[in-house]
Amino acid sequence: MRTDTKTALLVSAERAARARGFDGFSYADLAADVGIRKASIHHHFPSKAALAVALMARYHAELETACAGIDATHETGGARLTALIDLYRRALDEGRRLCLCVSFSTSRDSLPTEVVGQLQQFRQMMLGWIADVFARGQQDGTIAGVKDPELEAAATLPLLEGAHLAARAQEDASLFDAAVRMLAQRVQGATGGAEASGQA
Amino acid sequence: MRTDTKTALLVSAERAARARGFDGFSYADLAADVGIRKASIHHHFPSKAALAVALMARYHAELETACAGIDATHETGGARLTALIDLYRRALDEGRRLCLCVSFSTSRDSLPTEVVGQLQQFRQMMLGWIADVFARGQQDGTIAGVKDPELEAAATLPLLEGAHLAARAQEDASLFDAAVRMLAQRVQGATGGAEASGQA
DNA sequence: GTCTATATGTGGATAGAC
DNA sequence: GTCTATCCACATATAGAC
């Protein structure tokens, strides 16, 4: 049961959008990547706007699943925060790719209004989950200096996204590590960010 | 002595790039905005790549001047940090515009390699200046909890940029305020972020 | 320095055969 | 479900008159 064409198109489009923005890839690119003709793409996604909606829906579901996975495998707030930072660090792909939310935010004017709504829903989902992580870290004492979990979330999501951006600007993942190091160090028992950057 | 055509083109192009990305505006847009024909633009900027270089050079110089202006009018580290946050808040234009650095970072693959170098130089300039602000705030006691000014700078620039992005995603400037509130509150004597958001 | 006219490529999208 | 062929709009860029 190999991946069907529709899924292959979504995978290819997401990679392209995260590397070059929504305006930065074309049906011709997808066609070459997946191995069909560009006219055939319209059978699966009648317009590029429809493709954008499908991409965002898939991304939302995937991140929601990933966060649920972190909850299932990490007990403390601190461990969950570290896992979140790791998740974004891996999505960075060594500075070649942004997360889809950042990519779509910048090219918002090229997107159908439906995607703008999806973007808002995605952010609210993430903000809620991150606030829960900080609340738990506050209660169990595994994240230092938490006063207001909501405010922490409002700062943390932009920080992670800004760190992606900084790393991508120069295709240098160490800029991501530097940007999030102070946040990572707030996790009690953290060894000082060494595990994230590979430094001794 | 009114602004010459070349400057008018730069102003128009910067506004467009910050609102819609480098791929999101065309010579036709600029021509309509400035009031000449699109072919005439090539007299001032032979290619769009050349325009990108000129835009980035101008932006770098302007931000450098703005930071020097903050230094001249604000004595303490805390006051300078507050002024920096205000600078980015004003550049946001109520959620309609990003800073040019963010805009160019996302569309990096569409830009000439020279601009990628300029982007790096810009970031280093800003990181150095911000690190100085934190070092001063550490010495004069006007910014709370500063341990490593370089690390603070590495986190602060991405945070400001990520806050821009979050606000632009939903054209809602209050998301910027929420993202930077914890940072703003570290300034000693700050009233708790009320002055930034207008809340009581 | 600005214009008209045009070249050349590429974008997303459609029609209709297979 | 995929193809060929084609459409139309728009992109950057150039040539040459004024």
Side-chain angles (χ1 to χ4, degrees):
Chain A
M1 176 177 170
R2 351 185 302 285
T3 58
D4 58 317
T5 304
K6 188 162 190 165
T7 305
L9 284 168
L10 283 170
V11 170
S12 176
E14 186 186 315
R15 284 175 55 90
R18 286 174 46 195
R20 303 189 296 276
F22 186 68
D23 300 320
F25 73 94
S26 69
Y27 273 31
D29 297 329
L30 299 186
D33 193 28
V34 170
I36 59 174
R37 297 296 179 160
K38 63 175 184 169
S40 309
I41 300 176
H42 289 274
H43 173 75
H44 302 282
F45 304 100
S47 68
K48 206 181 176 187
L51 174 60
V53 172
L55 280 176
M56 199 59 216
R58 201 176 85 111
Y59 187 71
H60 185 121
E62 275 186 357
L63 264 285
E64 209 161 18
T65 300
C67 289
I70 290 175
D71 286 344
T73 52
H74 299 75
E75 195 59 27
T76 68
R80 288 180 185 181
L81 179 56
T82 301
L84 174 69
I85 296 172
D86 271 9
L87 179 68
Y88 270 76
R89 166 67 207 234
R90 272 178 277 120
L92 182 60
D93 193 20
E94 299 308 314
R96 283 189 292 270
R97 260 168 261 281
L98 300 166
C99 67
L100 193 64
C101 179
V102 170
S103 181
F104 274 13
S105 294
T106 55
S107 30
R108 198 198 57 194
D109 287 1
S110 312
L111 297 167
T113 54
E114 184 174 353
V115 174
V116 179
Q118 288 176 303
L119 224 40
Q120 180 167 3
Q121 289 176 345
F122 172 80
R123 292 191 146 273
Q124 284 183 348
M125 181 271 291
M126 288 300 294
L127 287 174
W129 185 83
I130 296 172
D132 284 347
V133 168
F134 275 96
R136 178 173 283 242
Q138 183 180 35
Q139 287 166 1
D140 65 18
T142 54
I143 305 177
V146 179
K147 284 176 188 149
D148 181 340
E150 308 278 340
L151 224 47
E152 297 275 7
T156 298
L157 187 58
L159 175 62
L160 289 169
E161 296 177 343
H164 261 205
L165 212 54
R168 158 136 179 82
Q170 296 170 226
E171 205 161 314
D172 178 356
S174 73
L175 294 172
F176 177 89
D177 297 326
V180 301
R181 189 156 302 149
M182 287 183 58
L183 178 64
Q185 285 176 350
R186 291 175 59 195
V187 176
Q188 301 298 313
T191 59
E195 76 277 58
S197 65
Q199 293 174 358
Chain B
M1 177 175 168
R2 353 186 302 285
T3 58
D4 57 318
T5 304
K6 188 163 190 166
T7 305
L9 284 168
L10 283 171
V11 169
S12 176
E14 187 186 315
R15 283 175 55 89
R18 286 175 44 196
R20 304 189 295 276
F22 186 68
D23 301 321
F25 73 94
S26 69
Y27 272 32
D29 297 329
L30 298 186
D33 193 29
V34 170
I36 59 175
R37 296 299 179 157
K38 60 178 181 170
S40 309
I41 301 175
H42 288 275
H43 173 75
H44 302 282
F45 303 101
S47 69
K48 205 179 176 187
L51 174 60
V53 172
L55 280 176
M56 199 58 216
R58 202 177 85 111
Y59 188 71
H60 184 122
E62 274 185 358
L63 264 285
E64 208 161 20
T65 300
C67 290
I70 290 175
D71 286 344
T73 52
H74 298 77
E75 194 59 28
T76 68
R80 288 180 185 180
L81 178 57
T82 301
L84 174 69
I85 295 172
D86 271 11
L87 179 68
Y88 270 76
R89 165 69 208 232
R90 273 179 276 121
L92 182 60
D93 193 18
E94 300 308 315
R96 283 189 293 270
R97 259 168 260 284
L98 300 166
C99 67
L100 193 64
C101 179
V102 170
S103 181
F104 273 15
S105 293
T106 55
S107 29
R108 199 196 57 193
D109 288 1
S110 313
L111 297 167
T113 54
E114 184 174 355
V115 174
V116 179
Q118 288 177 302
L119 224 42
Q120 179 166 5
Q121 289 175 346
F122 172 80
R123 294 193 145 271
Q124 284 184 347
M125 181 272 291
M126 288 300 296
L127 288 175
W129 186 82
I130 296 173
D132 285 347
V133 168
F134 275 96
R136 179 173 283 242
Q138 183 179 35
Q139 287 167 1
D140 65 19
T142 54
I143 305 177
V146 180
K147 282 176 190 151
D148 181 340
E150 308 278 339
L151 224 47
E152 297 275 8
T156 298
L157 187 58
L159 174 62
L160 289 169
E161 295 177 344
H164 261 204
L165 212 53
R168 159 137 179 82
Q170 297 169 227
E171 205 162 313
D172 179 355
S174 73
L175 294 172
F176 177 89
D177 298 326
V180 301
R181 189 156 301 150
M182 287 183 59
L183 178 63
Q185 286 176 349
R186 291 176 59 194
V187 175
Q188 301 298 313
T191 61
E195 75 277 58
S197 65
Q199 293 176 357

